[in-house]
């Protein structure tokens, strides 16, 4: 497997890194945490103008026609300064669901404004008792003349608080389907909530929300379930890329601190025990990076869904262990200053915790990996 970046990918990575460093330092993240939306619509449009929001989508809908590796490069650089715009939630998770489930007209209708930065789209798939199973859907869609009415509740809808369009999974008579619901629709209640990392999500309630038939994306049943599985795998791979960015930022901050902090007249980085811990952080960061790259490649190269799922679950498990280790060591090696509200490293620690729970935690992905045919056959051989 070739992990080398092309010249275009290097330019994309460097441009995103320069943007994050200059236009969105961590201080901006703190400012946005105190705002109602949690991000800036003008910056979102700027991202659209730069082509980043359309990386995963075809040129026919205003996209870039890129790959998950391209999007992962952007996410990793955004993580370095905790860029608050909902790139993962909207441009990866929700957008991929529309791309995988919708027909050409539906893709154009909802992806064009997303690619341009004129719209935020959110995927409402999780339910209270569903854990991480996208097929555990109790929200129902019933026929009402030529339209549909939706009823049910969705939880922790990422970017749902600001979404112009919600993509909602619901159970129809012929299986699970995805529906597009505009913000402000009668019967739709969106309750904003804040996640522990300072980002925003929403609890969504649908009380007889009426939508036209052309708002049901593609075919129901197996087709919709495949679209959800694809979107969640791509988003999980994106979360792993973000996790790599967080690991690298924590490692860099910690090494800088060890080189400058003095105790008893010497730099604390001179102590071999602390050097060994920094080396362990480096190793875990590189392991997370390797797994994240493979997961991104498997999302884009047309691999069998089981192969893709295996790579994504392996990357999520590595992030759950390695990413947790790196962020915890960053806190410990900074000492008491790390637990003050003013120090940035606490923000990275919280983001890592959230990334490790998005789209399946460690327990979920270990179980999914163990149930894959390739693993079972290997055990039985």
């Amino acid at each position: 497997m070739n992990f080398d970046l092309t010249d275009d990918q290097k330019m994309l990575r460097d441009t995103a890194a320069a943007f994050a460093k200059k236009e969105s330092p961590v201080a901006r993240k703190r400012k946005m945490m105190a705002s109602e939306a949690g991000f800036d619509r003008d910056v979102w449009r700027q991202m659209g103008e730069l082509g980043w929001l359309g990386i995963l989508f075809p040129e026919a809908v205003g996209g870039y026609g890129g790959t998950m590796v391209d999007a992962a490069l952007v996410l990793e650089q955004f993580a370095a300064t905790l860029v608050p715009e909902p790139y993962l939630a909207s441009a990866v998770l929700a957008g991929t669901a529309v791309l995988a489930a919708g027909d050409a007209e539906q893709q154009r209708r909802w992806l064009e404004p997303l690619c341009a930065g004129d719209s935020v789209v959110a995927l409402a798939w999780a339910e209270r008792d569903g854990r991480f199973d996208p097929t555990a859907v109790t929200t129902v869609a019933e026929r009402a003349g030529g339209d549909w009415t939706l009823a049910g509740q969705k939880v922790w809808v990422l970017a749902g608080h600001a979404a112009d369009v919600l993509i909602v999974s619901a159970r129809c008579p012929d299986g699970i389907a995805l529906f597009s619901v505009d913000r402000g629709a009668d019967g739709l209640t969106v309750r904003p909530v804040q996640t522990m990392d300072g980002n925003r999500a929403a609890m969504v309630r649908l009380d007889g929300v009426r939508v036209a038939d052309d708002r049901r994306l593609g075919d129901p049943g197996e087709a919709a379930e495949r679209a959800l599985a694809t979107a969640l795998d791509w988003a999980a791979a994106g979360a792993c890329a973000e996790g790599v960015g967080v690991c690298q930022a924590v490692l860099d901050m910690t090494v800088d601190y060890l080189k400058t902090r003095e105790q008893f007249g010497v730099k604390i980085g001179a102590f071999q025990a602390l050097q060994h811990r920094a080396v362990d952080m480096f190793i875990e960061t590189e392991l997370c990076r390797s797994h994240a790259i493979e997961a991104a490649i498997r999302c884009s190269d047309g691999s069998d869904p089981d192969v893709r799922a295996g790579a994504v679950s392996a990357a999520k498990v590595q992030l759950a262990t390695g990413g947790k280790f790196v962020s915890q060591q960053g806190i410990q090696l900074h000492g008491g200053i790390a637990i003050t509200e003013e120090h940035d490293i606490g923000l990275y620690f919280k983001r890592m915790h959230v990334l490790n729970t998005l789209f399946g935690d460690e327990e979920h992905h270990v179980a999914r990996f163990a149930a894959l045919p390739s693993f079972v056959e290997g055990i039985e051989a």
Side-chain angles (χ1 to χ4, degrees):
M1 184 172 290
N2 182 9
F3 281 15
D4 293 335
L5 300 180
T6 66
D7 289 342
D8 285 345
Q9 288 173 331
K10 291 176 182 175
M11 185 168 65
L12 177 65
R13 177 198 61 193
D14 295 345
T15 304
F19 172 88
K21 184 176 181 180
K22 181 179 179 182
E23 305 294 339
S24 189
V26 180
R28 179 170 170 268
K29 165 69 175 179
R30 290 185 178 278
K31 180 181 177 182
M32 289 294 104
M33 285 170 61
S35 70
E36 183 176 350
F39 70 99
D40 189 329
R41 285 272 186 174
D42 289 338
V43 175
W44 187 246
R45 292 190 185 90
Q46 188 179 356
M47 290 179 174
E49 292 168 1
L50 289 166
W52 295 335
L53 302 184
I55 283 177
L56 296 177
F57 311 122
E59 294 180 7
V61 298
Y64 172 79
T67 67
M68 188 60 218
V69 176
D70 301 327
L73 292 171
V74 172
L75 282 163
E76 181 181 342
Q77 301 312 313
F78 284 180
T81 61
L82 301 173
V83 172
E85 276 62 36
Y87 189 91
L88 179 62
S90 192
V92 179
L93 176 63
T96 303
V98 174
L99 182 67
D103 59 29
E105 169 55 25
Q106 291 168 334
Q107 291 175 4
R108 185 199 60 75
R109 193 191 310 179
W110 292 301
L111 292 181
E112 270 191 3
L114 171 61
C115 292
D118 293 332
S119 171
V120 173
V121 183
L123 178 64
W125 66 276
E127 299 199 357
R128 190 173 303 279
D129 298 322
R131 287 288 290 166
F132 303 111
D133 181 2
T135 65
V137 177
T138 61
T139 298
V140 295
E142 296 180 339
R143 274 292 189 185
D147 298 337
W148 294 90
T149 58
L150 308 181
Q153 297 184 53
K154 298 292 181 180
V155 300
W156 300 108
V157 180
L158 302 177
H161 70 294
D164 302 287
V165 177
L166 291 168
I167 306 300
V168 179
S169 60
R171 190 169 294 281
C172 303
D174 44 1
I176 293 172
L178 297 176
F179 293 86
S180 166
V181 179
D182 286 343
R183 186 177 190 81
D186 290 341
L188 177 68
T189 303
V190 176
R191 180 166 64 86
V193 292
Q194 189 173 44
T195 53
M196 71 171 292
D197 59 356
N199 287 337
R200 301 293 193 280
M203 302 297 187
V204 173
R205 184 181 180 90
L206 304 108
D207 291 310
V209 175
R210 192 168 184 123
V211 296
D213 189 51
D214 65 355
R215 285 180 168 268
R216 189 170 81 160
L217 281 71
D219 296 324
E222 291 184 6
E225 291 180 17
R226 282 197 301 272
L228 277 171
T230 299
L232 290 170
D233 269 351
W234 285 50
C240 291
E242 260 206 71
V244 172
V246 171
C247 283
Q248 189 65 57
V250 171
L251 176 61
D252 292 344
M253 292 170 66
T254 304
V255 170
D256 285 346
Y257 185 73
L258 296 179
K259 288 179 178 177
T260 55
R261 175 79 166 95
E262 288 190 8
Q263 206 164 33
F264 307 116
V266 296
K267 302 285 193 300
I268 61 174
F271 298 116
Q272 194 172 44
L274 301 191
Q275 293 174 7
H276 286 174
R277 284 218 238 171
V279 169
D280 288 341
M281 292 171 67
F282 170 79
I283 292 171
E284 292 296 336
T285 298
E286 291 305 302
L287 285 171
C288 288
R289 190 188 309 280
S290 297
H291 278 285
I293 292 173
E294 181 176 2
I297 290 173
R298 292 304 188 192
C299 284
S300 302
D301 69 355
S303 292
D304 180 274
D306 284 345
V307 174
R308 181 191 71 204
V312 169
S313 285
K316 281 287 286 176
V317 172
Q318 173 57 39
L319 187 68
T321 54
K324 180 180 178 181
F325 173 83
V326 172
S327 58
Q328 286 181 337
Q329 290 299 311
I331 294 283
Q332 289 195 5
L333 293 176
H334 274 81
I337 193 174
I339 59 174
T340 60
E341 188 67 24
E342 293 79 10
H343 201 283
D344 290 341
I345 201 162
L347 298 177
Y348 290 93
F349 177 85
K350 292 174 183 175
R351 183 58 182 162
M352 180 61 76
H353 183 83
V354 170
L355 290 170
N356 278 328
T357 59
L358 290 179
F359 322 120
D361 59 11
E362 180 181 8
E363 181 182 6
H364 169 82
H365 281 286
V366 167
R368 187 172 83 147
F369 190 93
L372 290 171
S374 58
F375 182 80
V376 173
E377 291 167 3
I379 292 293
E380 294 175 347

